[in-house]
């Protein structure tokens, strides 16, 4: 790796770390509170509140690792693109980010996308085979054999509705 690439890795690591920490903590409701990234290798350590210390990500299940890597992809997008383009892109496209997560984590990921990341992106396109993922205000398009089978807008609940 050339010196310039190493310098860039070190330069962006703190921002990626910060965004990842926020995302992972949100998705896991504080179970994993912070992320440390080795700026040379981008290996990840996660602060596990139950263990009370940072642990390497490779000790966790596949689903948990998928959540860490989803957080890393989003963190890279948030950390790198503003500097490269001067502004955030208008959309975020995610293909199957929910499949390996349990129901609780799926809801937290969708809530993160719907409530937090919409301040950065005008549209978030989420491709999934998981049923029941319909955040308020979303347009849900169902495909069958490559054609639109149905399309509907999820109502936005008013304050006080249950």
């Amino acid at each position: 790796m050339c010196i310039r690439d190493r310098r860039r890795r070190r330069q962006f690591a703190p921002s990626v770390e910060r965004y990842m920490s926020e995302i992972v903590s949100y998705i896991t409701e504080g179970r994993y509170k912070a992320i440390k990234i080795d700026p040379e290798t981008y290996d990840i350590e996660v602060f596990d509140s139950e263990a009370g210390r940072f642990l390497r990500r490779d000790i966790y299940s596949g689903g948990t690792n998928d959540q860490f890597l989803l957080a890393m992809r989003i963190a890279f997008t948030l950390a790198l693109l503003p500097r490269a383009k001067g502004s955030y892109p208008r959309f975020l496209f995610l293909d199957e980010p929910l499949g390996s997560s349990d129901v609780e984590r799926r809801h937290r990921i969708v809530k993160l996308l719907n409530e937090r990341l919409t301040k950065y992106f005008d549209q978030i396109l989420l491709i999934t085979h998981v049923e029941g993922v319909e955040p308020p205000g979303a347009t849900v398009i169902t495909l069958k054999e490559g054609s639109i089978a149905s399309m509907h807008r999820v109502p936005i609940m008013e304050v006080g509705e249950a």
Side-chain angles (χ1 to χ4, degrees):
M1 180 183 318
C2 73
I3 293 171
R4 185 179 64 190
D5 290 341
R6 285 185 186 167
R7 197 173 32 229
R8 279 192 185 130
R9 280 180 172 235
R10 284 192 300 272
Q11 176 186 0
F12 287 109
S15 292
V16 172
E17 217 172 58
R18 186 181 71 250
Y19 283 120
M20 273 190 79
S21 294
E22 290 173 18
I23 293 166
V24 167
S25 182
Y26 185 86
I27 290 171
T28 65
E29 296 183 280
R31 161 83 194 267
Y32 308 113
K33 296 188 180 297
I35 301 292
K36 281 196 311 191
I37 296 174
D38 180 322
E40 296 297 321
T41 63
Y42 269 69
D43 286 338
I44 300 168
E45 289 188 346
V46 181
F47 187 83
D48 187 319
S49 60
E50 290 181 8
R53 62 188 171 104
F54 281 92
L55 301 171
R56 290 185 49 85
R57 79 167 176 91
D58 59 4
I59 69 162
Y60 295 99
S61 71
T64 300
N65 265 289
D66 286 350
Q67 292 162 18
F68 297 153
L69 295 176
L70 171 64
M72 181 178 252
R73 288 191 302 271
I74 294 169
F76 268 111
T77 301
L78 295 173
L80 296 175
L81 288 177
R83 291 185 182 177
K85 303 282 185 186
S87 66
Y88 288 97
R90 297 185 60 102
F91 70 92
L92 177 65
F93 185 92
L94 298 169
D95 187 13
E96 288 295 340
L98 307 174
S100 61
S101 296
D102 61 29
V103 173
E104 182 179 330
R105 295 288 176 256
R106 287 179 192 151
H107 288 292
R108 295 293 298 172
I109 292 168
V110 170
K111 189 174 181 180
L112 170 83
L113 297 173
N114 196 43
E115 294 180 4
R116 297 260 178 115
L117 294 182
T118 52
K119 72 180 180 182
Y120 300 110
F121 305 101
D122 293 338
Q123 295 180 335
I124 298 175
L125 306 167
L126 176 67
I127 307 296
T128 187
H129 292 95
V130 175
E131 298 282 330
V133 178
E134 298 186 357
T139 300
V140 177
I141 301 170
T142 304
L143 300 177
K144 186 171 183 173
E145 297 178 17
S147 297
I148 295 176
S150 68
M151 182 167 61
H152 70 278
R153 180 121 173 132
V154 179
I156 298 174
M157 295 176 64
E158 298 296 322
V159 175
E161 285 185 70

